[in-house]
Amino acid sequence: MNAVATQASPATPTSSATDSLLEIRGLYKHFPLAEGFLEQLRFEKGRLVRRNDSVHAINGVDLAVRRGEALCVVGESGCGKSTVARLVMGLLSPSAGEIRYDGHRIDDLRGKRLLPYRQRMQMIFQNPYASLNPRMTIQQTLEEPLRFHHPEWTTPQIHDKVAEVMASVGIDPEWGKRFGHEFSGGQRQRIAIARALAVDPEFIVADEPISALDVSIQAQVLNLLMDAQAERHLTYLFITHDLAVVEHFGTRVAVMYLGTVCELADTRSLFARPRHPYTQALLSAIPRLEDNRPEHVRLSGEVPTPVHLPSGCVFHGRCPHVTERCRQEVPQLIATDDGNRVACHGVEEGRL
Amino acid sequence: MALLEVSNLDVRFALRQGEVRALRDVSFTLDRGERLGIVGESGAGKSVAAFTLLNLIAKPGYIAGGSIRFEGSDLARMSSRELRRVRGNRISMIFQDPMMTLNPVLSIGEQMVESLKAHRRISTQEARAIALHKLKQVYIPSPETRLDQYPHELSGGMRQRIIIAIALLLDPDIIVADEPTTALDVTIQAEIMTLLRELCEKHNVGLVLITHDLGVVSQMTQRTLVMYAGRVIEQGPTREIINDAQHPYTQGLLNALPQMTTPGSRLNQIPGSMPSLSNTPSGCAFHPRCQYRYDATGQPRRDCLDQVPEFVTSGNCQVACHMVRDMLAKEAS
Ligand SMILES: Nc1ncnc2c1ncn2[C@@H]1O[C@H](COP(=O)(O)OP(=O)(O)OP(=O)(O)O)[C@@H](O)[C@H]1O
Ligand SMILES: Nc1ncnc2c1ncn2[C@@H]1O[C@H](COP(=O)(O)OP(=O)(O)OP(=O)(O)O)[C@@H](O)[C@H]1O
Ligand code: SF4
Ligand code: SF4
Ligand SMILES: [Mg+2]
Ligand SMILES: [Mg+2]
């Protein structure tokens, strides 16, 4: 039997003695619904009450990213993928839970104390059009993070570093004089990657870095990310909704639904044998090139909004295997016999 | 004669900076009940092609040449009154953005009844009954109550289903769908696509499906047309194109997909990116990115640089490539 299967409950992941670079424990993030005071007032049972709804974007996520791996996070729009990324990068603070980087808590750090981590962790965003400052030349764009993190460097040192990183991602040095808007989406994403790599990070959070790009350009950028991983021993938290990319790029996969992780598995076994009913539906929904594919799993209903979370299993409204227990009790992520983790009563009960 | 016959379409946008040639020499046909996919990367001219099919190109765009024959009559030369009888009625369109179809201030029922009555002499009651029937066909739960709801009260998937119901409302011969599911989630996307295919099959409706997803084309269509920089560069039966693409660009697109290489290895990328339509390369527009543009001695082929390739027939496919033409000629001799 696999060692992971005999591990203690997932609510208490083993301490930082593991090979985890990043650990997320019991993470919650609620956003208050952006409504004015008047809109919060409701007339209920004959009197005015103040209803203060919030968006339950992340609802108890435990996740560890191992050193050197590419952990992919997949799930449908609004399931909380970007929120996880922003929480990890310190761009948002959690409502509850903690985030540890290399064994140290980072979720409560501010200002100067966060700075070293800002260098070790870099983020690449989805939209290559918005992520570059249009008033800066490419040279300035690439110099900026270096000047910020290495104020003691001389200008020649900075120029050398910029030249080096441009070469490593295949940017023509001549681009340096030009501005962001003069480049295509793929070229801009290449520049954004160069900018992230300039400060020699060890961990990269990439939020849908290729989704806005064309197929032929996606391949270019994905190759670049894989080359960088091999050459620089990078660790990735890679967010995407494209399962073909996950299958190709991911070491492990976390499948999210409505702010929770419903399955966590190594890539090969997830694709060979998805266990959670939602993962099964998701995999069967990929339009494949072959024509002799099985019918996709038809789900009923729509993705609920994270304002009023369903009781019990968040997937129960659409699940073909729902039972009364599913409607009431929240399933926990439990280890399966192949060392992966699934949050589903049906799997736990052995009926799936 | 095919139901729809598009010949040598030439569409341009007259912009201040100069003329953009969005479609050049685009020709294809669609038979009754046939499903055709148009694929290509962003900016290839797919949406312009879709809009042109219904003669919906507006200023600064115009149809500079070619014809769109539907049952023999040319949509490119019809009066706007004649066009109104075809649009939405015989040929309907599903746009990428649902709100291009749905009027936010009318209930679903009102919009459906209105378009039925615009094309048919029927009572409101009869129209409502037809609308209800169409909503049932697209598996809308509790269709009676939906008729009285407004677009903003519905989820994205529900809205797109209603749009399909509206597209089917007047029993059209052809539906033109421009990326009908890109705004939706993966699982909902699959449902909508399956639904669209089943309905087209069942009612023998022709479909022109525009997408950049080769997987979708593979699942949905019988024939495929590949566009690059405003031109069709390959067309033929979908299975032949997916299994045995002839044009270097189509091959490149398929090979670039992650599923084409073993997990973890480098992907087969096409160098460079698609040119902008205001500045397309000479000769074969793909030549700056094409690995076959050299001859046996390693010299660049003059024809790739200078001449727009004509279509040649390979198997059941039409391919616009000098290299393919030469290989076929060599084979034949
Ligand atoms: N700043 C915010 N204020 C209020 N709600 C927010 C905010 N950011 C995110 N949300 C909500 O939190 C939920 C999760 O959003 P998130 O952006 O993390 O989803 P996602 O999985 O990245 O989706 P997508 O695939 O569309 O990018 C959504 O319902 C979203 O509307
Ligand atoms: N209204 C317009 N004014 C000027 N040029 C236009 C207009 N509409 C389209 N074009 C030109 O036509 C080209 C093709 O556009 P089109 O929208 O057909 O591309 P597409 O293949 O549908 O791309 P996408 O996959 O991004 O939707 C554009 O690059 C643009 O140059
Ligand atoms: S817990 Fe129940 S409802 Fe949730 S996925 Fe498992 S079987 Fe379906
Ligand atoms: S015509 Fe020439 S450049 Fe164009 S695709 Fe064929 S070989 Fe390549
Ligand atoms: Mg996101
Ligand atoms: Mg388009």
Side-chain angles (χ1 to χ4, degrees):
Chain A
M1 173 157 283
N2 196 304
V4 184
T6 55
Q7 227 174 316
S9 130
T12 56
T14 45
S15 72
S16 43
T18 61
D19 56 355
S20 296
L21 185 57
L22 183 89
E23 276 188 73
I24 297 172
R25 296 184 196 176
L27 192 67
Y28 285 81
K29 180 66 189 176
H30 300 170
F31 295 103
L33 268 184
E35 281 182 333
F37 177 72
L38 282 178
E39 284 85 64
Q40 291 175 4
L41 294 177
R42 302 276 146 80
F43 196 71
E44 273 173 26
K45 298 198 184 92
R47 59 190 282 263
L48 278 178
V49 289
R50 189 159 162 223
R51 284 262 309 268
N52 213 343
D53 285 336
S54 56
V55 179
H56 301 255
I58 304 295
N59 307 294
V61 163
D62 297 298
L63 209 56
V65 186
R66 299 176 185 157
R67 227 173 266 279
E69 79 169 344
L71 178 69
C72 289
V73 180
V74 295
E76 288 175 80
S77 188
C79 71
K81 305 181 294 295
S82 298
T83 304
V84 168
R86 281 187 227 123
L87 287 164
V88 166
M89 291 305 295
L91 303 174
L92 289 173
S93 43
S95 307
E98 48 179 77
I99 300 170
R100 285 173 187 270
Y101 186 82
D102 209 2
H104 304 283
R105 257 189 95 159
I106 57 167
D107 56 90
D108 50 0
L109 296 184
R110 288 290 162 270
K112 255 203 153 77
R113 296 178 51 218
L114 194 58
L115 222 53
Y117 298 100
R118 280 266 160 86
Q119 180 198 337
R120 294 168 73 183
M121 310 162 70
Q122 288 287 319
M123 182 151 174
I124 300 169
F125 294 91
Q126 165 168 5
N127 189 341
Y129 295 91
S131 60
L132 295 180
N133 184 335
R135 280 185 294 276
M136 279 197 210
T137 64
I138 302 309
Q139 179 74 24
Q140 287 167 334
T141 302
L142 296 177
E143 284 182 11
E144 188 193 38
L146 287 167
R147 292 193 190 280
F148 182 73
H149 286 292
H150 304 286
E152 73 288 1
W153 282 18
T154 63
T155 301
Q157 270 178 309
I158 287 182
H159 285 177
D160 285 351
K161 186 71 199 176
V162 167
E164 178 206 310
V165 77
M166 278 177 150
S168 83
V169 303
I171 291 182
D172 189 334
E174 187 268 326
W175 288 13
K177 297 192 267 316
R178 294 161 62 188
F179 290 87
H181 68 262
E182 298 174 39
F183 294 94
S184 70
Q187 291 171 327
R188 280 181 222 207
Q189 206 55 305
R190 201 169 272 267
I191 295 164
I193 291 169
R195 186 181 147 93
L197 294 178
V199 295
D200 291 319
E202 52 190 11
F203 181 59
I204 290 198
V205 176
D207 188 0
E208 312 246 17
I210 60 171
S211 305
L213 307 175
D214 274 326
V215 182
S216 73
I217 313 299
Q218 284 189 354
Q220 294 173 5
V221 173
L222 213 52
N223 279 342
L224 190 57
L225 291 172
M226 288 194 292
D227 292 347
Q229 185 182 29
E231 283 158 21
R232 297 161 180 261
H233 311 289
L234 292 173
T235 303
Y236 284 111
L237 180 65
F238 192 95
I239 289 163
T240 178
H241 59 264
D242 186 338
L243 290 154
V245 170
V246 172
E247 188 168 18
H248 194 81
F249 184 79
T251 318
R252 289 188 305 146
V253 192
V255 182
M256 286 187 68
Y257 191 83
L258 271 186
T260 59
V261 173
C262 56
E263 184 157 3
L264 177 63
D266 71 82
T267 306
R268 203 174 314 162
S269 63
L270 186 99
F271 281 85
R273 193 173 170 225
R275 299 296 300 274
H276 195 281
Y278 174 65
T279 315
Q280 292 172 354
L282 200 59
L283 291 190
S284 77
I286 317 173
R288 303 238 178 222
L289 292 176
E290 309 85 61
D291 55 350
N292 54 346
R293 69 196 278 266
E295 264 297 287
H296 77 261
V297 178
R298 285 203 174 186
L299 296 176
S300 52
E302 312 262 336
V303 186
T305 68
V307 178
H308 304 288
L309 283 185
S311 61
C313 170
V314 282
F315 187 56
H316 84 241
R318 299 174 76 200
C319 181
H321 310 288
V322 56
T323 62
E324 202 38 50
R325 182 183 174 204
C326 304
R327 292 194 185 92
Q328 280 160 22
E329 196 182 315
V330 177
Q332 300 298 317
L333 257 191
I334 51 161
T336 57
D337 49 13
D338 47 9
N340 298 320
R341 289 176 178 200
V342 184
C344 169
H345 295 312
V347 171
E348 189 213 58
E349 292 158 9
R351 62 187 169 88
L352 285 179
Chain B
M1 193 180 62
L3 179 64
L4 183 72
E5 213 170 290
V6 173
S7 311
N8 314 104
L9 265 188
D10 180 338
V11 174
R12 308 178 184 196
F13 290 91
L15 304 180
R16 232 175 302 143
Q17 316 83 279
E19 200 161 58
V20 173
R21 309 239 352 223
L23 295 186
R24 299 192 199 207
D25 207 11
V26 169
S27 302
F28 63 92
T29 61
L30 185 79
D31 287 328
R32 194 169 285 282
E34 188 178 31
R35 295 189 305 280
L36 171 80
I38 301 185
V39 287
E41 295 182 283
S42 188
K46 306 182 298 293
S47 294
V48 172
F51 282 102
T52 308
L53 280 187
L54 284 163
N55 197 344
L56 281 171
I57 290 293
K59 279 207 168 103
Y62 65 103
I63 301 178
S67 61
I68 310 148
R69 293 192 178 278
F70 174 68
E71 291 181 327
S73 35
D74 188 358
L75 291 168
R77 284 177 184 73
M78 272 184 192
S79 69
S80 40
R81 241 186 78 213
E82 288 171 305
L83 274 172
R84 267 200 297 274
R85 277 210 294 271
V86 176
R87 278 188 207 141
N89 187 16
R90 311 294 309 280
I91 308 179
S92 58
M93 178 138 182
I94 301 177
F95 298 96
Q96 185 168 344
D97 176 4
M99 295 321 269
M100 292 229 356
T101 306
L102 296 174
N103 184 339
V105 302
L106 294 181
S107 73
I108 302 301
E110 282 164 343
Q111 341 209 348
M112 293 178 87
V113 166
E114 197 170 86
S115 47
L116 274 164
K117 289 180 75 175
H119 290 281
R120 301 224 182 119
R121 286 222 179 95
I122 50 175
S123 70
T124 303
Q125 200 138 51
E126 285 166 320
R128 235 182 123 83
I130 297 175
L132 195 61
H133 176 67
K134 297 290 172 186
L135 289 184
K136 283 180 185 153
Q137 277 186 347
V138 297
Y139 306 111
I140 297 269
S142 44
E144 288 88 352
T145 50
R146 302 293 168 192
L147 281 179
D148 299 319
Q149 281 185 315
Y150 289 84
H152 71 266
E153 298 176 279
L154 303 163
S155 70
M158 200 68 81
R159 256 183 245 159
Q160 206 58 328
R161 243 176 268 209
I162 284 175
I163 284 177
I164 294 179
I166 292 177
L168 288 167
L169 199 57
L170 292 139
D171 302 311
D173 300 298
I174 301 173
I175 295 180
V176 179
D178 186 4
E179 313 247 13
T181 61
T182 34
L184 302 174
D185 279 323
V186 201
T187 54
I188 313 277
Q189 251 179 47
E191 263 160 64
I192 299 283
M193 282 294 176
T194 311
L195 176 66
L196 192 56
R197 194 186 63 206
E198 285 172 357
L199 288 170
C200 287
E201 274 171 351
K202 192 165 155 210
H203 302 284
N204 204 28
V205 178
L207 178 69
V208 178
L209 179 68
I210 285 152
T211 171
H212 58 266
D213 190 330
L214 290 156
V216 167
V217 166
S218 171
Q219 294 305 309
M220 293 287 292
T221 67
Q222 297 141 328
R223 270 192 327 119
T224 297
L225 201 132
V226 185
M227 289 190 65
Y228 188 82
R231 286 182 191 273
V232 177
I233 52 109
E234 179 161 9
Q235 61 173 309
T238 301
R239 283 267 66 77
E240 275 185 44
I241 289 186
I242 299 281
N243 296 335
D244 200 11
Q246 308 279 303
H247 194 283
Y249 173 65
T250 319
Q251 284 177 19
L253 263 193
L254 283 157
N255 283 334
L257 295 175
Q259 50 269 46
M260 290 298 177
T261 33
T262 45
S265 55
R266 294 190 99 240
L267 297 170
N268 311 307
Q269 63 186 51
I270 309 178
S273 56
M274 191 158 73
S276 99
L277 292 182
S278 51
N279 188 19
T280 40
S282 62
C284 170
F286 185 58
H287 85 250
R289 308 175 71 189
C290 181
Q291 54 174 318
Y292 301 105
R293 66 173 187 274
Y294 305 101
D295 62 19
T297 67
Q299 292 303 307
R301 297 176 57 128
R302 289 261 38 116
D303 50 1
C304 293
L305 299 179
D306 298 338
Q307 271 173 45
V308 176
E310 306 257 326
F311 277 109
V312 289
T313 305
S314 174
N316 296 307
C317 294
Q318 299 276 303
V319 188
C321 168
H322 296 305
M323 184 266 300
V324 170
R325 179 202 59 207
D326 289 355
M327 280 174 66
L328 289 168
K330 214 160 122 200
E331 220 30 60
S333 66

Coordinates of all heavy atoms in Angstrom, one line a residue, chain A residues 239-284:
Chain A
I239 N -2.3 27.6 -13.4 CA -3.8 27.6 -13.5 C -4.2 27.6 -14.9 O -3.8 28.4 -15.7 CB -4.2 28.8 -12.7 CG1 -4.0 28.5 -11.2 CG2 -5.7 29.1 -12.9 CD1 -4.0 29.8 -10.4
T240 N -5.2 26.7 -15.2 CA -5.7 26.7 -16.5 C -7.0 26.0 -16.5 O -7.4 25.4 -15.6 CB -4.7 25.9 -17.4 OG1 -5.2 25.8 -18.7 CG2 -4.5 24.5 -16.9
H241 N -7.8 26.2 -17.6 CA -9.0 25.3 -17.8 C -8.8 24.4 -18.9 O -9.7 23.6 -19.3 CB -10.2 26.2 -17.9 CG -10.2 27.1 -19.1 ND1 -9.7 28.4 -19.0 CD2 -10.4 26.8 -20.4 CE1 -9.7 28.9 -20.3 NE2 -10.1 28.0 -21.1
D242 N -7.6 24.3 -19.5 CA -7.4 23.5 -20.7 C -6.8 22.2 -20.2 O -5.6 22.1 -19.9 CB -6.5 24.2 -21.7 CG -6.3 23.5 -23.0 OD1 -6.5 22.2 -23.0 OD2 -5.9 24.1 -24.0
L243 N -7.6 21.1 -20.3 CA -7.1 19.8 -19.8 C -6.0 19.2 -20.6 O -5.2 18.5 -20.1 CB -8.3 18.9 -19.6 CG -9.2 19.3 -18.5 CD1 -10.6 18.9 -18.7 CD2 -8.7 18.8 -17.2
A244 N -6.0 19.5 -21.9 CA -4.9 19.0 -22.8 C -3.6 19.5 -22.3 O -2.5 18.8 -22.3 CB -5.2 19.3 -24.2
V245 N -3.6 20.8 -21.9 CA -2.3 21.4 -21.4 C -1.9 20.8 -20.1 O -0.8 20.5 -19.8 CB -2.5 22.9 -21.3 CG1 -1.4 23.6 -20.5 CG2 -2.7 23.6 -22.6
V246 N -2.9 20.6 -19.2 CA -2.6 19.9 -17.9 C -2.0 18.6 -18.1 O -1.0 18.2 -17.5 CB -4.0 19.7 -17.2 CG1 -3.7 18.9 -15.9 CG2 -4.5 21.1 -16.8
E247 N -2.6 17.8 -19.0 CA -2.1 16.4 -19.3 C -0.6 16.5 -19.7 O 0.2 15.6 -19.4 CB -3.0 15.7 -20.3 CG -2.6 14.2 -20.4 CD -3.7 13.5 -21.2 OE1 -4.5 14.1 -22.0 OE2 -3.7 12.2 -21.1
H248 N -0.3 17.5 -20.5 CA 1.0 17.6 -21.0 C 2.0 18.1 -20.0 O 3.2 17.7 -20.0 CB 1.0 18.5 -22.3 CG 2.2 18.4 -23.1 ND1 2.4 17.4 -24.0 CD2 3.4 19.1 -23.1 CE1 3.6 17.5 -24.5 NE2 4.2 18.6 -24.0
F249 N 1.6 19.1 -19.3 CA 2.5 19.9 -18.5 C 2.6 19.6 -17.0 O 3.6 19.8 -16.3 CB 2.1 21.4 -18.7 CG 2.9 22.4 -18.1 CD1 4.1 22.8 -18.7 CD2 2.6 23.0 -16.9 CE1 4.9 23.8 -18.1 CE2 3.4 24.0 -16.3 CZ 4.5 24.4 -16.9
G250 N 1.4 19.1 -16.5 CA 1.3 19.0 -15.1 C 2.0 17.8 -14.5 O 1.9 16.7 -15.0
T251 N 2.6 17.9 -13.3 CA 3.1 16.8 -12.5 C 1.9 16.2 -11.7 O 1.6 15.0 -11.8 CB 4.2 17.2 -11.5 OG1 5.0 18.2 -12.1 CG2 4.9 16.0 -11.0
R252 N 1.2 17.1 -11.1 CA -0.1 16.7 -10.4 C -1.1 17.7 -10.7 O -0.9 18.8 -11.2 CB 0.2 16.7 -8.9 CG 1.1 15.6 -8.4 CD 1.1 15.5 -6.9 NE 1.5 16.8 -6.3 CZ 1.0 17.2 -5.1 NH1 0.1 16.5 -4.4 NH2 1.4 18.4 -4.6
V253 N -2.4 17.3 -10.4 CA -3.5 18.2 -10.8 C -4.4 18.3 -9.6 O -4.7 17.3 -8.9 CB -4.4 17.6 -11.9 CG1 -5.4 18.6 -12.4 CG2 -3.5 17.0 -13.0
A254 N -4.9 19.6 -9.3 CA -5.9 19.8 -8.3 C -7.2 20.2 -9.1 O -7.1 21.2 -9.8 CB -5.5 20.8 -7.3
V255 N -8.3 19.5 -8.9 CA -9.5 19.9 -9.6 C -10.3 20.7 -8.6 O -10.6 20.2 -7.5 CB -10.3 18.7 -10.1 CG1 -11.5 19.1 -10.8 CG2 -9.4 17.8 -11.0
M256 N -10.7 21.9 -9.0 CA -11.5 22.7 -8.0 C -13.0 22.8 -8.5 O -13.3 22.8 -9.7 CB -10.9 24.1 -7.9 CG -9.7 24.1 -7.1 SD -9.1 25.8 -6.8 CE -10.4 26.4 -5.7
Y257 N -13.9 22.9 -7.6 CA -15.3 23.2 -7.9 C -15.8 24.1 -6.7 O -15.7 23.7 -5.6 CB -16.1 21.9 -8.0 CG -17.5 22.1 -8.5 CD1 -17.7 22.1 -9.9 CD2 -18.6 22.2 -7.7 CE1 -18.9 22.3 -10.4 CE2 -19.8 22.4 -8.2 CZ -20.0 22.4 -9.6 OH -21.3 22.6 -10.1
L258 N -16.4 25.2 -7.1 CA -17.0 26.1 -6.1 C -16.1 26.4 -4.9 O -16.6 26.2 -3.8 CB -18.3 25.6 -5.7 CG -19.5 26.0 -6.5 CD1 -20.8 25.6 -5.8 CD2 -19.6 27.5 -6.7
G259 N -14.8 26.7 -5.1 CA -14.0 27.1 -4.0 C -13.4 25.9 -3.2 O -12.9 26.2 -2.1
T260 N -13.6 24.7 -3.6 CA -13.0 23.6 -2.9 C -12.3 22.7 -3.8 O -12.5 22.7 -5.0 CB -14.1 22.7 -2.1 OG1 -15.0 22.2 -3.1 CG2 -14.9 23.5 -1.1
V261 N -11.3 21.9 -3.3 CA -10.6 21.0 -4.1 C -11.4 19.7 -4.0 O -11.6 19.2 -3.0 CB -9.2 20.8 -3.6 CG1 -8.5 19.6 -4.3 CG2 -8.4 22.0 -3.7
C262 N -11.8 19.2 -5.2 CA -12.6 17.9 -5.1 C -11.7 16.7 -5.5 O -12.1 15.6 -5.1 CB -13.8 18.0 -5.9 SG -13.6 18.4 -7.6
E263 N -10.6 16.9 -6.1 CA -9.7 15.8 -6.4 C -8.3 16.3 -6.6 O -8.1 17.4 -7.2 CB -10.2 15.0 -7.7 CG -9.3 13.8 -7.9 CD -10.1 12.7 -8.8 OE1 -11.2 13.0 -9.2 OE2 -9.5 11.6 -9.0
L264 N -7.3 15.6 -6.0 CA -5.9 15.9 -6.1 C -5.2 14.6 -6.5 O -5.2 13.7 -5.7 CB -5.5 16.5 -4.8 CG -4.0 16.9 -4.7 CD1 -3.6 18.0 -5.6 CD2 -3.7 17.3 -3.2
A265 N -4.5 14.6 -7.6 CA -3.9 13.4 -8.1 C -2.8 13.6 -9.0 O -2.6 14.7 -9.5 CB -5.0 12.5 -8.9
D266 N -1.9 12.6 -9.1 CA -0.9 12.8 -10.1 C -1.5 12.7 -11.5 O -2.5 12.1 -11.7 CB 0.3 11.9 -9.9 CG 0.0 10.5 -10.3 OD1 0.1 10.2 -11.5 OD2 -0.3 9.7 -9.4
T267 N -0.9 13.5 -12.4 CA -1.5 13.7 -13.7 C -1.9 12.4 -14.4 O -3.1 12.3 -14.9 CB -0.6 14.6 -14.6 OG1 -0.3 15.7 -13.9 CG2 -1.3 14.9 -15.9
R268 N -1.0 11.5 -14.5 CA -1.3 10.3 -15.2 C -2.5 9.5 -14.7 O -3.4 9.1 -15.4 CB -0.1 9.4 -15.3 CG -0.2 8.5 -16.6 CD 1.0 7.7 -16.8 NE 2.3 8.4 -16.8 CZ 3.4 7.8 -16.7 NH1 3.5 6.5 -16.6 NH2 4.5 8.6 -16.6
S269 N -2.5 9.4 -13.3 CA -3.6 8.6 -12.8 C -4.9 9.4 -12.9 O -6.0 8.8 -13.0 CB -3.3 8.1 -11.4 OG -3.2 9.1 -10.5
L270 N -4.9 10.7 -12.8 CA -6.1 11.5 -12.9 C -6.8 11.2 -14.3 O -8.0 11.0 -14.5 CB -5.9 13.0 -12.7 CG -7.2 13.7 -12.7 CD1 -7.7 14.0 -11.3 CD2 -7.2 15.0 -13.5
F271 N -5.9 11.3 -15.4 CA -6.5 11.1 -16.7 C -6.8 9.6 -17.0 O -7.8 9.4 -17.7 CB -5.5 11.6 -17.8 CG -5.6 13.1 -17.9 CD1 -4.8 13.9 -17.0 CD2 -6.4 13.7 -18.8 CE1 -4.9 15.3 -17.1 CE2 -6.5 15.1 -18.9 CZ -5.8 15.9 -18.0
A272 N -6.1 8.7 -16.4 CA -6.4 7.3 -16.6 C -7.6 6.9 -15.8 O -8.5 6.1 -16.3 CB -5.2 6.4 -16.2
R273 N -7.8 7.4 -14.6 CA -8.9 7.0 -13.8 C -9.4 8.1 -12.9 O -9.1 8.2 -11.7 CB -8.4 5.8 -12.9 CG -9.5 5.1 -12.2 CD -9.1 3.8 -11.5 NE -10.1 3.3 -10.7 CZ -10.0 2.9 -9.5 NH1 -8.8 2.9 -8.9 NH2 -11.0 2.4 -8.8
P274 N -10.1 9.0 -13.5 CA -10.7 10.1 -12.7 C -11.7 9.5 -11.7 O -12.5 8.6 -12.0 CB -11.4 11.0 -13.7 CG -11.7 10.1 -14.9 CD -10.6 9.1 -14.9
R275 N -11.7 9.9 -10.4 CA -12.5 9.3 -9.4 C -13.7 10.2 -9.1 O -14.9 9.7 -8.9 CB -11.7 9.0 -8.1 CG -10.6 8.1 -8.3 CD -11.0 6.7 -8.7 NE -11.9 6.1 -7.7 CZ -11.4 5.4 -6.7 NH1 -10.2 5.2 -6.5 NH2 -12.3 4.8 -5.9
H276 N -13.5 11.5 -8.9 CA -14.6 12.3 -8.5 C -15.6 12.5 -9.7 O -15.1 12.7 -10.8 CB -14.1 13.7 -8.1 CG -15.1 14.5 -7.4 ND1 -16.1 15.2 -8.0 CD2 -15.2 14.8 -6.0 CE1 -16.8 15.8 -7.1 NE2 -16.3 15.6 -5.9
P277 N -16.9 12.4 -9.5 CA -17.9 12.6 -10.6 C -17.7 13.8 -11.4 O -17.9 13.9 -12.6 CB -19.2 12.5 -9.8 CG -19.0 11.8 -8.6 CD -17.6 12.1 -8.2
Y278 N -17.3 14.9 -10.7 CA -17.1 16.2 -11.4 C -15.8 16.0 -12.4 O -15.9 16.5 -13.5 CB -16.9 17.4 -10.5 CG -16.5 18.6 -11.2 CD1 -17.4 19.2 -12.2 CD2 -15.3 19.2 -11.1 CE1 -17.1 20.3 -12.9 CE2 -14.9 20.3 -11.8 CZ -15.8 20.9 -12.7 OH -15.5 21.9 -13.5
T279 N -14.8 15.4 -11.9 CA -13.6 15.2 -12.7 C -14.0 14.4 -13.9 O -13.5 14.6 -15.0 CB -12.5 14.5 -11.9 OG1 -12.3 15.2 -10.6 CG2 -11.2 14.6 -12.6
Q280 N -14.8 13.4 -13.7 CA -15.2 12.5 -14.8 C -16.0 13.3 -15.8 O -15.7 13.1 -17.0 CB -16.1 11.3 -14.2 CG -15.3 10.4 -13.4 CD -16.1 9.3 -12.7 OE1 -17.4 9.4 -12.7 NE2 -15.5 8.4 -12.0
A281 N -16.9 14.1 -15.4 CA -17.6 14.9 -16.3 C -16.7 15.9 -17.1 O -16.8 16.1 -18.3 CB -18.7 15.7 -15.6
L282 N -15.8 16.5 -16.4 CA -14.9 17.5 -17.0 C -14.0 16.8 -18.0 O -13.9 17.3 -19.1 CB -14.0 18.0 -15.8 CG -13.3 19.3 -16.1 CD1 -14.3 20.4 -16.4 CD2 -12.4 19.7 -14.8
L283 N -13.5 15.6 -17.7 CA -12.6 15.0 -18.7 C -13.4 14.5 -19.9 O -13.0 14.6 -21.0 CB -11.9 13.7 -18.1 CG -10.9 14.0 -17.0 CD1 -10.1 12.7 -16.7 CD2 -9.9 15.1 -17.5
S284 N -14.7 14.1 -19.7 CA -15.4 13.6 -20.8 C -15.9 14.7 -21.7 O -16.4 14.5 -22.8 CB -16.6 12.7 -20.3 OG -17.6 13.6 -19.9

